[in-house]
Amino acid sequence: EFLDDTLKCLKKDGLLVIGVPNNDSYYFKKDPYHTLNLPPHHMLLWNHKALAYLEEIFDLKIVDITNQPVEKVHKGMMYNNLLSGHLGSFLGKAVGLLTRFFVKQLPLFSNQGITVVATYRKT
């Protein structure tokens, strides 16, 4: 209903931009509690494939689907989750504290933005 109503307001060739949590990002996949990606925060789980499918349901043509660049704070959280998964909670936290500054400067998780943004053109 929401997209139907949105498209009624959009002129032909108008652009629709949707930004939603990227359920395929490492941040959400490895978070054992799915922090910030469960109701009431978000009712649906999205990824590139789900957003691409909207083109088949509605009068839309995909212009672009991309991940938002990873913020340093999210990179740090992903790194901590990775360490905890491999080294355990205590040792993972210790190693994370000692190395987090350097890791945030590296191009790790660069394609794992926690937000996926899709741009469509109304046909």
Side-chain angles (χ1 to χ4, degrees):
E1 265 183 43
F2 172 77
L3 285 175
D4 278 330
D5 291 342
T6 301
L7 292 175
K8 288 176 187 173
C9 298
L10 194 61
K11 294 179 182 179
K12 183 178 175 17
D13 291 327
L15 294 177
L16 173 65
V17 180
I18 299 173
V20 291
N22 178 12
N23 199 57
D24 285 342
S25 77
Y26 187 86
Y27 183 74
F28 290 126
K29 281 185 173 182
K30 297 299 181 182
D31 178 359
Y33 306 107
H34 300 285
T35 309
L36 301 179
N37 202 26
L38 293 174
H41 303 289
H42 300 286
M43 299 305 294
L44 299 170
L45 301 177
W46 295 93
N47 57 23
H48 284 247
K49 186 176 178 181
L51 289 170
Y53 185 68
L54 293 179
E55 183 180 51
E56 297 179 30
I57 302 171
F58 298 99
D59 293 329
L60 295 169
K61 180 72 178 160
I62 296 171
V63 175
D64 186 40
I65 299 178
T66 188
N67 289 339
Q68 173 190 11
V70 176
E71 300 291 331
K72 286 186 179 183
V73 65
H74 297 132
K75 189 185 287 191
M77 289 184 217
M78 287 187 260
Y79 179 60
N80 286 336
N81 284 342
L82 175 72
L83 290 174
S84 293
H86 289 289
L87 303 175
S89 181
F90 179 76
L91 186 57
K93 285 181 184 179
V95 171
L97 283 172
L98 294 171
T99 59
R100 67 183 175 183
F101 174 78
F102 300 107
V103 168
K104 288 181 181 182
Q105 310 310 315
L106 299 173
L108 297 173
F109 309 111
S110 58
N111 64 345
Q112 293 289 320
I114 66 167
T115 301
V116 59
V117 179
T119 305
Y120 306 91
R121 185 172 308 280
K122 184 176 178 183
T123 56

